[in-house]
Amino acid sequence: MTPQSLLQLTSQKCTTGCPILDRLLYGGIPCDSITEIVAESGSGKTQICLQLSLHAQLPVSHGGLAASSLYLHTEFPFPFRRLHQLCLSFRSSNAHHFPVNDNPCDRIFVQSVHTADHLLEIMSKTDPFIENSKNQVPVRLIVIDSIAALFRSDFDNTPVELKRRSSLFFEISSKLKALAKRFNLAVLVTNQVVDLVGPNEGINGLRIGNLVCLHTSGRRVCPALGLAWANCVNSRLFLSRNEEVIREENEKSNGQSCDFVKKKMRKLYVVFAPHLPESSCEFEITREGVFGVER
Amino acid sequence: MEQQRNQRTVQQQQQQEELEEMHHGPFPVEQLQELGIASLDVKKLKDAGLCTVESIAYAPRKDLLQIKGISEAKVDKIMEAASKLVPLGFTSASQLHAQRLEIIQITSGSSELDKILEGGIETGSITEIYGEFRSGKTQLCHTLCVTCQLPLDQGGGEGKAMYIDAEGTFRPQRLLQIAERFGLNGADVLENVAYARAYNTDHQSRLLLEAASMMVETRFALMIVDSATALYRTDFTGRGELSARQMHLAKFLRSLQKLADEFGVAVVITNQVVAQVDGSAIFAGPQIKPIGGNIMAHASTTRLALRKGRAEERICKVISSPCLAEAEARFQISPGGVSDVKD
């Protein structure tokens, strides 16, 4: 066994479809590592996952992986209508890459997952599946949306169950990392949040390891699944949404007046990643997908 | 050689899946008897609430081990037989989309409301409706009980309705009034609604087991839980019991999701709200928010917020949905249930 030459180790990245978000992520979601997106419900996790599975099909020269993707979903139902909507706008803006009668949805494989044991079973089946796909369009992206739903209801709050839960985390993440390494896949996982209840300063304040303060919708939150899972992922991104009041200048017939308007502010933060500095950027969700906003 | 063999098994799987597509609806658990499982074991599975082969294939092994009278060896045998009937291979999104185009949407009675819901309440997923008292939640539920029985071309679901009542607000007389509006026979409409009153949270969860066995036998289009969270506010009190409450709620919602996915019913749950009494939060953030925390938020696919307008008018807003844009619609409560605002 010879050591790999570091000069030849470049990590390929998959574009997210928006140049502003790509700039924040230094190119996109990296291959051969597990990236986690944490957010409360309704912040846009599934939107980003769908967008990524479409853009992975772009050729490598345009930032994609020229690959099909495997989408494992644990929360029913799978948003087919939204995927169809995104597919239409993806096709129209990238028409020169695809032949006329081609449907990008053909290259997204969807599988519903019901329990953690079911997920392990599926992962043992993905090995031959990815091996086979090398003949047509290879699978280079696995999305698990969301990993938290598998664990939040099936385990009681006793030490024995929690230990079993942690061992499942390590088993699943090691299998994912082995798959990612073997086939050079990008793995994207989404996670939910839990609220932090209690004083957040002083000796009795709540601190969970080195986890930073995350705020969304005016509440302090913490990613679900605890410290054990935080060690299983390579990078973590956090999406927050807040209702902010801004002044808007309106030109009216009787002179200028300003209104207080409630606007939804969505931000993407890099919480930790081996190759990214701590940074953030604003984004919005439109009919065409998720796009960053320059202010 | 290995690749050829793998390709052949993928082809076999595809063929099996094509055969599977001819069969509509879930497999009843009696089918396992053909694969060598004793009828006594099948009865025990049914009593435990596992009425379809799909539910056995998706259940974690420890749940099956907990059923009295089924040994470990038998559990393995049952799981093997179930996985033979329910293929767990991969299909592409476009194939599944073609299957899912047949999703039925149940009209809510008001065309404005249907417009922002892009057709109506979707089957196969959980819709959460929250709002203060007198905002129209129970009225909407009663209307849906009747519209789900309408034929498909009139926007209905052509199926029965199931109503789990935790607050004691169900009124059969109201159903009769709404049935008159749609021209349906009142007695038949009442016959097609299965009603149960839940007295505590454990009872509420047990009712779902019975619901599963009923759904295998006849076609249900709608299941209403009104309200899903009322009993949790009384059974679990204080911060010390918060985690126990959320675990129980998570299990309940997960079983509801399984029901919706397995049987293709529309699940509608109503939720209560809590007022936020922070004086400083005049502009920042809403003043009322739904209870249940993050567990509830993540379990429901579509969230609708209702509030009262002038007189009989009500306003519904789509708060969170993977496919719908945020929009508001006005509707009215009339003797015939939920209907459009008459200007």
Side-chain angles (χ1 to χ4, degrees):
Chain A
M1 215 180 85
T2 51
Q4 283 176 302
S5 160
L6 282 181
L7 290 173
Q8 291 166 357
L9 268 186
T10 48
S11 176
Q12 223 186 342
K13 301 241 174 49
C14 177
T15 173
T16 55
C18 165
I20 302 177
L21 294 179
D22 282 347
R23 212 177 318 142
L24 181 82
L25 299 172
Y26 283 31
I29 306 289
C31 289
D32 197 10
S33 88
I34 303 184
T35 310
E36 184 195 32
I37 299 188
V38 179
E40 66 162 339
S41 101
S43 306
K45 307 188 285 288
T46 306
Q47 306 297 315
I48 294 189
C49 291
L50 292 174
Q51 195 162 313
L52 203 72
S53 0
L54 283 172
H55 282 85
Q57 300 174 29
L58 287 175
V60 181
S61 50
H62 283 79
L65 300 174
S68 42
S69 38
L70 178 60
Y71 198 110
L72 304 174
H73 69 101
T74 60
E75 292 166 343
F76 317 111
F78 180 71
F80 284 102
R81 273 191 294 170
R82 183 60 175 150
L83 178 61
H84 193 64
Q85 221 177 37
L86 288 174
C87 192
L88 288 174
S89 67
F90 173 69
R91 266 262 292 273
S92 57
S93 49
N94 293 301
H96 41 279
H97 294 303
F98 298 104
V100 177
N101 284 335
D102 185 63
N103 187 359
C105 291
D106 277 337
R107 285 183 287 275
I108 303 181
F109 296 96
V110 178
Q111 172 67 42
S112 60
V113 185
H114 294 78
T115 60
D117 298 312
H118 191 198
L119 178 60
L120 285 170
E121 218 183 280
I122 290 180
M123 286 213 286
S124 55
K125 268 197 236 131
T126 48
D127 240 43
F129 179 68
I130 300 182
E131 195 66 59
N132 274 335
S133 72
K134 280 200 198 150
N135 303 331
Q136 308 114 32
V137 184
V139 171
R140 300 277 310 277
L141 171 69
I142 294 186
V143 178
I144 303 186
D145 179 18
S146 63
I147 190 90
L150 295 175
F151 293 99
R152 288 188 91 178
S153 49
D154 287 337
F155 294 85
D156 301 320
N157 215 356
T158 58
V160 174
E161 284 282 295
L162 289 177
K163 220 162 70 153
R164 190 165 82 84
R165 195 178 88 154
S166 305
S167 61
L168 273 173
F169 290 157
F170 293 122
E171 213 181 319
I172 291 176
S173 78
S174 73
K175 284 214 164 89
L176 280 175
K177 285 187 180 157
L179 272 177
K181 174 84 186 159
R182 194 164 143 211
F183 298 109
N184 202 7
L185 311 171
V187 181
L188 186 63
V189 174
T190 58
N191 195 1
Q192 298 169 359
V193 295
V194 288
D195 280 355
L196 284 180
V197 185
N200 43 7
E201 272 122 29
I203 297 188
N204 293 329
L206 208 55
R207 272 194 64 95
I208 304 180
N210 289 325
L211 294 182
V212 298
C213 261
L214 300 170
H215 293 267
T216 177
S217 289
R219 314 186 316 258
R220 237 187 113 211
V221 294
C222 167
L225 306 183
L227 267 184
W229 179 252
N231 284 315
C232 293
V233 300
N234 294 115
S235 345
R236 174 174 282 172
L237 308 171
F238 175 68
L239 306 177
S240 79
R241 68 172 187 170
N242 282 300
E243 297 244 331
E244 285 203 349
V245 183
I246 59 167
R247 279 169 80 105
E248 253 186 19
E249 302 284 338
N250 276 348
E251 287 247 2
K252 281 203 183 144
S253 53
N254 53 355
Q256 280 216 343
S257 66
C258 70
D259 282 331
F260 284 103
V261 172
K262 261 207 232 182
K263 260 190 78 172
K264 191 159 279 181
M265 164 89 107
R266 295 184 192 270
K267 276 185 130 171
L268 168 69
Y269 293 88
V270 174
V271 179
F272 62 78
H275 59 293
L276 300 173
E278 269 189 45
S279 45
S280 69
C281 95
E282 213 184 299
F283 68 96
E284 61 179 5
I285 306 183
T286 63
R287 178 171 277 269
E288 285 79 30
V290 179
F291 298 105
V293 173
E294 292 270 7
R295 283 245 181 264
Chain B
M1 209 44 205
E2 179 81 28
Q3 245 180 8
Q4 275 181 9
R5 222 183 316 143
N6 281 341
Q7 266 183 345
R8 242 181 293 139
T9 44
V10 166
Q11 263 180 14
Q12 275 176 357
Q13 251 185 355
Q14 277 179 346
Q15 275 174 355
Q16 209 190 8
E17 275 175 68
E18 277 170 351
L19 280 176
E20 239 54 88
E21 276 179 51
M22 310 282 285
H23 174 100
H24 290 287
F27 286 102
V29 74
E30 280 81 10
Q31 292 236 348
L32 282 180
Q33 284 180 281
E34 293 168 28
L35 289 163
I37 309 291
S39 58
L40 210 60
D41 293 333
V42 166
K43 185 170 178 311
K44 287 192 200 135
L45 288 170
K46 263 189 110 152
D47 287 336
L50 299 163
C51 306
T52 61
V53 180
E54 276 84 352
S55 55
I56 298 174
Y58 300 149
R61 199 160 171 270
K62 66 165 179 148
D63 278 3
L64 290 178
L65 284 172
Q66 274 174 1
I67 302 177
K68 258 188 161 169
I70 302 198
S71 66
E72 236 189 277
K74 276 206 194 138
V75 164
D76 287 330
K77 214 173 142 209
I78 292 172
M79 292 200 76
E80 216 193 290
S83 58
K84 276 201 201 121
L85 278 179
V86 180
L88 299 170
F90 296 115
T91 46
S92 72
S94 44
Q95 262 182 312
L96 284 175
H97 184 58
Q99 285 175 22
R100 288 277 293 204
L101 278 176
E102 309 142 12
I103 284 225
I104 302 169
Q105 288 178 300
I106 303 178
T107 171
S108 56
S110 149
S111 56
E112 280 274 330
L113 189 49
D114 286 344
K115 217 186 299 173
I116 63 163
L117 293 173
E118 288 185 14
I121 306 279
E122 220 181 55
T123 51
S125 68
I126 300 185
T127 307
E128 180 194 336
I129 304 179
Y130 68 83
E132 286 186 311
F133 56 94
R134 56 132 171 71
S135 52
K137 308 188 290 286
T138 306
Q139 293 301 313
L140 187 53
C141 291
H142 280 83
T143 313
L144 286 171
C145 271
V146 179
T147 57
C148 77
Q149 299 176 33
L150 288 171
L152 285 172
D153 50 9
Q154 283 184 34
E158 263 183 30
K160 297 191 178 182
M162 194 177 282
Y163 201 107
I164 296 184
D165 186 5
E167 291 180 326
T169 49
F170 185 69
R171 294 286 173 270
Q173 309 94 298
R174 195 81 180 92
L175 289 184
L176 287 174
Q177 283 179 319
I178 302 175
E180 248 183 71
R181 167 187 165 194
F182 287 104
L184 296 173
N185 181 353
D188 285 340
V189 165
L190 289 183
E191 186 70 39
N192 286 334
V193 176
Y195 170 78
R197 178 88 205 271
Y199 292 101
N200 55 50
T201 49
D202 290 325
H203 185 210
Q204 201 175 307
S205 301
R206 272 203 309 274
L207 281 173
L208 291 187
L209 297 180
E210 256 189 68
S213 58
M214 284 170 74
M215 286 189 185
V216 183
E217 283 156 32
T218 40
R219 180 175 148 67
F220 277 84
L222 175 70
M223 167 159 205
I224 297 187
V225 187
D226 180 15
S227 80
T229 46
L231 292 171
Y232 285 91
R233 284 182 109 166
T234 47
D235 282 357
F236 297 90
T237 46
R239 198 169 274 185
E241 297 201 302
L242 186 60
S243 76
R245 182 189 97 166
Q246 292 299 89
M247 292 260 37
H248 200 284
L249 185 60
K251 285 205 176 84
F252 175 67
L253 291 171
R254 193 99 180 129
S255 344
L256 270 182
Q257 270 183 334
K258 283 194 200 144
L259 270 182
D261 191 48
E262 246 179 80
F263 297 103
V265 294
V267 178
V268 174
I269 54 180
T270 58
N271 195 6
Q272 297 181 344
V273 294
V274 70
Q276 285 181 303
V277 289
D278 291 320
S280 56
I282 305 177
F283 280 119
Q287 282 147 312
I288 56 166
K289 62 172 197 176
I291 68 173
N294 288 304
I295 296 278
M296 195 73 174
H298 285 290
S300 43
T301 312
T302 315
R303 298 188 104 186
L304 306 172
L306 298 185
R307 63 178 193 274
K308 187 173 186 296
R310 281 174 310 157
E312 301 294 346
E313 245 183 60
R314 299 290 185 272
I315 302 168
C316 171
K317 181 167 178 203
V318 174
I319 298 288
S320 143
S321 158
C323 328
L324 307 169
E326 291 190 9
E328 281 194 0
R330 285 161 52 217
F331 62 92
Q332 190 176 351
I333 301 190
S334 59
V338 165
S339 57
D340 282 317
V341 177
K342 295 181 196 44
D343 287 320

